[in-house]
Amino acid sequence: MAYKFRRQIFGFMDLLRFKRMVPVRENKLAEAPATPLPLTYRVNETAKILHPGLQTAELVAVEDVAADMKTYTFRLSKKMIFRAGQYVTVGHNVGESFVSRPYAVSSSPFTALRKGELSVTVKKAGFFSGWLYENAKPGDSFTIGDPSGFFFYDGVRDRSDIVGIAGGSGITPFVCMARAIAEGSENFNLTLLYGARTQADLAFKAELDRLAGNNFKVVYILSDENKPGYENGFITAEIIKKYAPESYSVMLCGPQAMYDFADKQLAQLGVGGKYVRKEANCLGNRDVKPEKYNLTVHIRDEVFKVAADSRETLLAAMERAGLKVPSKCRAGGCGYCHSRLIDGKFSIAGGDKRRLADSKFGYIHPCCTYPDSDMEIEVPQGE
Ligand code: FES
């Protein structure tokens, strides 16, 4: 029986009603079964699988897949569900610091769910990827983050025919998509235009050829070699038109130079706006005159003084100093590193992706923010 309080002139009426409520409660308690409450509920278990949080995973295999590219397969300690095209962070201690980077998953969603294994394919480039290439070996333990990012097919947002444009290690999310289409965990049509310099730079070619069928097609475009069975040159408007279906959305993953070139080609075809999506690239050093700055970092009740450099992001400066701070995409897109600016001048790279309220009330994303003066910021504690 629901008990209703009514507005009274004299508050003591509420006291009388409260007194009458006591026997009602006692009756309800007496009627209730004595069986203990369940320890967990299905919805909680599903939420745990959808958002497993950081987990420890053992590296179980390392495999060469192309020039300077390796696939690293991890045995997960928790179940994981993800959409083909998403990324996870992979972290490990390097020297004194814990370092992590986002990598697109190359294995299929069913492999994670049924075998408990997940693979990322990484090109030897940059600090952590270079370290992985030289040092990671089966048996090593890593920290794997939640599946993240929006670079996946969405039936509401995208047309059912997707033209994928991949360059270099940007092939990784598309390999995952091709595997997912084949196993039935994704349902859309993918025409993949895969550009590389030479045949030796193509990763997963044998498997992509094997997966090609009704819903998945692949075309290879080599810029530095002219071979039968391959297109030669770059992924131009002419090539896209030759292989694309009548109406399509475009998903691109590759280096910035490829995006700049593809923008011009797609504009010639009248394809743009919501029909074109690009996977963001991690931001590295910027090309400016080197200047040394002081960065003051507040994390909860502690204050740290960190050396910063005009060429590197605030996130890189904090990580180099051994501070444990949050990061995921490292491209300004996920908001995970969202921090409060207290003082200082800065520049943002890769396009300002902050919400309007964040820029208005002085919040920044250290992963894409470079110092232009001494700075003071307040950062959430990393996990
Ligand atoms: S790590 Fe994603 S916005 Fe900074």
Side-chain angles (χ1 to χ4, degrees), residues 140-152:
D140 289 349
S141 182
F142 285 78
T143 304
I144 305 282
D146 269 343
S148 304
F150 300 98
F151 194 72
F152 55 80

Side-chain angles (χ1 to χ4, degrees), residues 87 89 102 315 326-338 353-354 364-369:
Y87 68 83
T89 55
L315 177 64
S327 77
K328 265 190 188 176
C329 70
R330 305 180 79 88
C334 72
Y336 198 61
C337 64
H338 182 257
K353 303 187 187 87
R354 291 176 298 169
I364 54 167
H365 295 158
C367 66
C368 59
T369 302

